[in-house]
Amino acid sequence: MTTAQQPAAPGPGPRPAGARRADPEPPAPGGVLWTISGDIRALLMLPAAFTMQVAHPAIGAGVDEHSVFRTDPWGRGERSLRSVQLWVYGGEQAAEEGRRVRRLHKEIQGTDTRGRRYHSLDPACYAWVHATGFPIYLYAGRYLLRRFTPAQERQLYREWLQVGRILGLRDRDMPRTVEEYWPYYRRMLAEEIEPTKVARELVATDVPLPRPTGGPLPVRLLLRVFWPVLRAAFLRLRAFVTVGYMPPDARAAIGLEWTAAQERKLRRFSTAVRLLVPLLPERVRYLPLAYRARAEWRAGAR
């Protein structure tokens, strides 16, 4: 497998006996990630990132064999979303959540679609899972948020590297700059990424999808009655935003088709979302954990 192999930076020297390495810090409040990762529009970006992740043969095999994404997609999605939010907005909880994620993946191993042994914490796999978020934020952000300036792009990448440290990635596991990132990204698309079984499922509109079971009684009753119609509509929307908000070179590597008519539809949809969401109250515009963290930060800054 390929990964970005960089020479390790010189360390500060040996730690005293019994000393504990300081926990990595999450991105600073007020930065680029604080602005975008808790915004509800990020929910439309996540399917594209997940599909790029599982298009890696080892990651796709691990998810196919060990994940509950088929039997409990709603629970898995909720847990994953909370985890991502903690990495950015969790403060002192961020590092512990990173350790929890590593413990969760410690026993996941097997053989990928090319007959190679894998372990989910192998840096070649683990780094790619994290690396996919950066191009999705940039590409989908042009539609749903804004086009980042070069300075904002560099800041976003620095902050994404900070999140990687929370997840246990070492500096040598990821490209250290934006300029080093793009050759790594293109090499991964050319050498590793393929239309895996799980990636194909995530853009299919005819796969089984369990009905959500939570919520108030009226909601549960409505879902029970209308789920066949809602399921079909949800799968079509998921496929549309997954392929639409994925960078074209990643689409090509996975073998996903995208037409000019779909692009026009995506632009109309994105314009409506981009104009509507800023009009919503902040409590609605941001996911709960992000909203609370932002409010506490502003209160502490006064």
Side-chain angles (χ1 to χ4, degrees):
M1 293 186 184
T2 60
T3 187
Q5 296 293 341
Q6 306 290 342
R15 298 191 300 279
R20 185 174 181 273
R21 185 188 298 273
D23 284 338
E25 294 287 336
V32 178
L33 272 178
W34 261 65
T35 302
I36 64 176
S37 65
D39 189 301
I40 59 172
R41 287 169 285 189
L43 296 176
L44 295 170
M45 306 179 193
L46 294 177
F50 184 47
T51 303
M52 285 176 61
Q53 292 165 13
V54 299
H56 187 294
I59 300 164
V63 170
D64 184 33
E65 297 167 5
H66 300 279
S67 175
V68 297
F69 85 100
R70 294 186 183 97
T71 56
D72 184 25
W74 308 105
R76 183 194 185 281
E78 182 179 356
R79 292 187 294 272
S80 296
L81 182 61
R82 174 174 171 76
S83 186
V84 172
Q85 295 293 290
L86 282 171
W87 305 340
V88 178
Y89 301 102
E92 294 180 355
Q93 298 180 66
E96 177 53 37
E97 178 61 16
R99 288 189 286 269
R100 187 193 71 83
V101 169
R102 289 186 69 86
R103 290 194 299 269
L104 186 67
H105 291 81
K106 188 175 181 180
E107 304 302 325
I108 298 177
Q109 56 188 307
T111 303
D112 72 12
T113 56
R114 301 181 187 180
R116 303 172 300 189
R117 295 292 300 171
Y118 73 84
H119 188 287
S120 64
L121 294 180
D122 181 333
C125 303
Y126 200 52
W128 176 248
V129 171
H130 184 58
T132 56
F134 179 65
I136 293 298
Y137 275 133
L138 292 183
Y139 186 74
R142 298 174 186 174
Y143 292 86
L144 295 167
L145 300 164
R146 63 182 182 277
R147 185 181 290 271
F148 295 106
T149 66
Q152 290 170 330
E153 183 176 327
R154 286 183 172 82
Q155 181 180 349
L156 175 61
Y157 190 72
R158 289 194 300 271
E159 292 173 353
W160 204 235
L161 289 179
Q162 284 181 258
V163 173
R165 295 184 188 105
I166 288 170
L167 294 172
L169 287 166
R170 301 159 299 183
D171 286 348
R172 65 175 178 269
D173 296 331
M174 288 280 291
R176 296 190 184 182
T177 65
V178 170
E179 290 76 14
E180 294 174 354
Y181 174 84
W182 294 115
Y184 158 77
Y185 169 79
R186 289 190 290 269
R187 184 169 66 251
M188 292 296 291
L189 294 185
E191 298 178 4
E192 292 290 345
I193 301 310
E194 64 183 37
T196 63
K197 176 183 177 181
V198 178
R200 293 194 303 270
E201 283 187 45
L202 292 176
V203 295
T205 57
D206 58 352
V207 293
L209 184 67
R211 172 171 48 86
T213 56
L217 179 60
V219 173
R220 297 200 303 271
L221 291 175
L222 286 172
L223 285 172
R224 183 183 297 275
V225 174
F226 295 106
W227 182 240
V229 175
L230 295 174
R231 169 190 164 278
F234 174 81
L235 288 174
R236 287 195 299 269
L237 176 63
R238 185 180 73 173
F240 179 66
V241 299
T242 297
V243 183
Y245 292 133
M246 187 181 296
D249 49 1
R251 283 184 209 143
I254 304 174
L256 301 175
E257 296 183 359
W258 188 249
T259 67
Q262 288 174 309
E263 179 65 22
R264 290 191 294 271
K265 183 178 179 181
L266 181 73
R267 289 180 183 276
R268 292 193 298 269
F269 172 78
S270 302
T271 298
V273 173
R274 189 174 65 249
L275 295 177
L276 173 63
V277 169
L279 301 178
L280 299 174
E282 186 171 356
R283 183 182 294 274
V284 177
R285 193 169 76 248
Y286 279 89
L287 297 168
L289 199 154
Y291 172 76
R292 291 194 299 270
R294 289 166 59 86
E296 291 170 3
W297 171 61
R298 284 197 300 268
R302 290 172 187 162

